[in-house]
Amino acid sequence: MRVAHLILRSTNSHHTEILIRQMWHQDFDFYVHIDKKLDIKTYKFIQKIPNVYFIKERKDIKWESFNSVIAIFSWVKEIVGSGIRYQFINTLSGEDYPLKTADELRTFFLKNKGQEFLTCWDLKNDLKDGSRRVEKYYFTDLNFWGKNWFEKLLNIVRPPRKIPYNLHPYGNSMFWMLSPDAAMYVIQRIQNDIKLIQFFSLCWGSAEFVFQTILLNSPYKDNIVNNNYRFNDQSQELLSSVAMDAANYNSFNKSNMLFASR
């Protein structure tokens, strides 16, 4: 079996290198997106690692905007279009750190073929103020004078927005482990529907709930595991370095998570 690890963002080339080397396996491929704002020359050395590919279509990403969703769609399609048959696409940050060995990671994916992993909250019922991200107007992809004032005014005079087709909103983390089929289902569902494009383009942080909302309102819902196996640590001391001492590692390992993440 093969797994494609899609590194969505990387702010430090050496962190990204350590991440890849720590989880490198002959059955894993790594697709790295280098944001257009960054100097790609400082990342070139990473390409010397086997099974590492740079995403061809580099983008200048604003992560709370809908353009980040469109970018992820593009990168997933690039992976699927590679001609390599993957069982999973796993999205990562370049500052993540694996809490399992490469062999343990491979075993996890092998045992869980057919399941889809992403964290899901009910944005209307489980998360305080979560529904505002989908019900209010946000012009995150646009920059114009008076934008904040216009948003506030529009949200006062207009009623709450409703998701097309009465879809129920779910969301949490933008990092997931999905089969290519499930990921492409989301892409095709949205890209072929102008109503969904218009709706999600006016949400806040849509990358954190587009995949959850579409999949939990789809035939894939019974295959979803509400867990992306990320340990979200808030310790700035730890996150300032990808190196962990034995005490930190043992503490994280007890969580049964696969990755430590911001």
Side-chain angles (χ1 to χ4, degrees):
M1 66 166 293
R2 297 202 67 79
V3 176
H5 298 284
L6 171 57
I7 300 177
L8 302 177
R9 58 192 183 197
S10 172
T11 57
N12 185 301
S13 58
H14 293 287
H15 283 202
T16 301
E17 178 196 17
I18 292 172
L19 167 66
I20 292 171
R21 291 194 183 278
Q22 285 296 116
M23 59 187 295
W24 194 93
H25 192 283
Q26 62 182 3
D27 292 338
F28 294 167
D29 292 330
F30 299 87
Y31 292 82
V32 185
H33 173 251
I34 311 300
D35 196 289
K36 269 191 173 182
K37 294 186 290 289
L38 302 175
D39 183 0
I40 196 170
K41 293 179 182 177
T42 63
Y43 287 81
K44 285 292 187 180
F45 70 96
I46 297 177
Q47 282 187 306
K48 296 179 181 179
I49 304 173
N51 298 5
V52 172
Y53 309 94
F54 282 2
I55 291 292
K56 296 174 183 177
E57 190 173 356
R58 297 177 64 200
K59 295 182 180 293
D60 183 353
I61 300 298
K62 186 178 181 183
W63 285 104
E64 66 272 17
S65 70
F66 186 64
N67 92 317
S68 65
V69 175
I70 297 301
I72 294 171
F73 287 179
S74 173
W75 305 334
V76 169
K77 288 191 292 185
E78 184 173 327
I79 291 172
V80 172
S82 68
I84 302 172
R85 182 167 179 78
Y86 294 107
Q87 279 67 50
F88 282 97
I89 298 175
N90 172 36
T91 57
L92 292 163
S93 165
E95 295 180 345
D96 288 347
Y97 193 87
L99 299 178
K100 305 294 182 184
T101 66
D103 284 334
E104 288 173 324
L105 290 172
R106 182 186 181 280
T107 297
F108 174 89
F109 289 116
L110 188 62
K111 286 182 176 180
N112 289 285
K113 285 194 296 184
Q115 294 184 305
E116 315 293 345
F117 297 90
L118 70 175
T119 49
C120 310
W121 286 336
D122 184 324
L123 293 185
K124 283 192 173 182
N125 301 314
D126 295 342
L127 187 62
K128 183 180 179 181
D129 296 329
S131 60
R132 66 179 174 81
R133 299 177 63 175
V134 295
E135 293 179 348
K136 293 185 178 294
Y137 291 86
Y138 297 98
F139 297 96
T140 53
D141 283 315
L142 301 175
N143 285 305
F144 56 88
W145 185 87
K147 182 178 79 170
N148 292 339
W149 176 86
F150 183 68
E151 280 182 355
K152 291 179 181 178
L153 178 62
L154 192 62
N155 285 314
I156 291 173
V157 301
R158 296 286 295 173
R161 301 167 65 229
K162 294 182 179 179
I163 305 182
Y165 314 112
N166 201 32
L167 298 178
H168 195 89
Y170 298 91
N172 192 304
S173 170
M174 65 182 292
F175 297 102
W176 40 255
M177 300 179 289
L178 298 175
S179 66
D181 287 345
M184 287 301 298
Y185 176 89
V186 175
I187 294 170
Q188 292 165 356
R189 180 77 173 85
I190 292 179
Q191 286 195 335
N192 294 329
D193 195 312
I194 189 63
K195 289 183 179 180
L196 289 175
I197 292 175
Q198 290 175 341
F199 179 83
F200 284 118
S201 66
L202 294 175
C203 294
W204 176 267
S206 48
E208 296 179 354
F209 54 83
V210 162
F211 282 87
Q212 287 92 333
T213 296
I214 297 300
L215 289 176
L216 280 165
N217 289 276
S218 81
Y220 286 92
K221 64 181 180 181
D222 293 332
N223 299 333
I224 290 175
V225 178
N226 186 6
N227 196 341
N228 66 356
Y229 286 87
R230 266 65 171 181
F231 188 104
N232 291 304
D233 182 72
Q234 302 301 317
S235 169
Q236 292 303 313
E237 180 179 356
L238 171 63
L239 292 173
S240 66
S241 171
V242 295
M244 296 185 188
D245 60 26
N248 281 327
Y249 184 86
N250 289 335
S251 174
F252 287 171
N253 200 36
K254 289 178 183 178
S255 71
N256 202 35
M257 297 293 105
L258 301 180
F259 302 96
S261 178
R262 279 188 186 274

